[in-house]
Amino acid sequence: METLEVAWTFFKIGIIAFGGGWSTVGIIKNAVVPHWIDEGTFRSLIAIAQSTPGPIALNAATMVGWYHGGILTAMLATLSVVTFPVLMIVLTTLLANRVSLNQQNLNNALKTGSLAMMLMTLWVLRPASADPLLLFFALAAFYIGAFTRINSIWAILGAGFLNALLGPLIRSIWQR
């Protein structure tokens, strides 16, 4: 019975987390903590899932399934998390020639959804004591991604680059 519960949990994650990436971490955490794993195990799971090839949701499904039922549960959870996205890709491919979409409206909708999921992930993975400089860079990257025409990826990469380049200097000035 637990195998079916794990599979159902990851099927629902697969529906909501279509697209994957860091934006799904909050969704995964809400679904598996504390029911399937505790907070510490979740942080370890994310670290391992990020360091192994493949989407985080797929790796998380495999790891939670393995932990709660072995190979069969791991395989079923893995298949469950990809079932809905694969079905939607097939359906979209079949309907692509019949439906006309406004590309700009589609991009705006995807951008809004991605930014909301990024905020959720930032909230879920917030540290106990936040570095004010990192918080500033995160908020600046969010603002640039949300309210300018600059791609969010460039804003995030730019914030990381500025932190790596200027962060130590700014922190040393603050400590004086």
Side-chain angles (χ1 to χ4, degrees), residues 45-69:
L45 179 145
I46 294 302
I48 293 167
Q50 183 60 24
S51 64
T52 56
I56 291 174
L58 187 68
N59 292 335
T62 305
M63 292 168 61
V64 170
W66 179 265
Y67 185 73
H68 281 283

Side-chain angles (χ1 to χ4, degrees), residues 123-136:
W123 178 256
V124 166
L125 295 178
R126 69 190 180 281
S129 60
D131 179 350
L133 187 59
L134 291 180
L135 182 59
F136 170 76

Side-chain angles (χ1 to χ4, degrees), residues 104-125:
Q104 184 62 35
N105 289 344
L106 180 62
N107 286 339
N108 287 338
L110 292 173
K111 181 179 177 180
T112 302
S114 296
L115 288 169
M117 291 177 77
M118 286 169 46
L119 275 178
M120 182 179 172
T121 300
L122 180 63
W123 178 256
V124 166
L125 295 178

Side-chain angles (χ1 to χ4, degrees), residues 3 12 14 25 66 68 85 88 102 133 148 163 176:
T3 297
K12 293 185 292 186
V25 171
W66 179 265
H68 281 283
M88 288 301 103
N102 180 322
L133 187 59
T148 69
N163 182 52
R176 289 186 194 171

Side-chain angles (χ1 to χ4, degrees), residues 75-146:
M75 288 173 38
L76 195 56
T78 302
L79 289 173
S80 295
V81 81
V82 298
T83 298
F84 185 79
V86 168
L87 290 174
M88 288 301 103
I89 290 169
V90 169
L91 183 63
T92 303
T93 303
L94 293 173
L95 295 175
N97 293 331
R98 295 187 174 133
V99 177
S100 171
L101 296 175
N102 180 322
Q103 190 68 34
Q104 184 62 35
N105 289 344
L106 180 62
N107 286 339
N108 287 338
L110 292 173
K111 181 179 177 180
T112 302
S114 296
L115 288 169
M117 291 177 77
M118 286 169 46
L119 275 178
M120 182 179 172
T121 300
L122 180 63
W123 178 256
V124 166
L125 295 178
R126 69 190 180 281
S129 60
D131 179 350
L133 187 59
L134 291 180
L135 182 59
F136 170 76
F137 283 135
L139 291 174
F142 175 78
Y143 178 83
I144 289 169

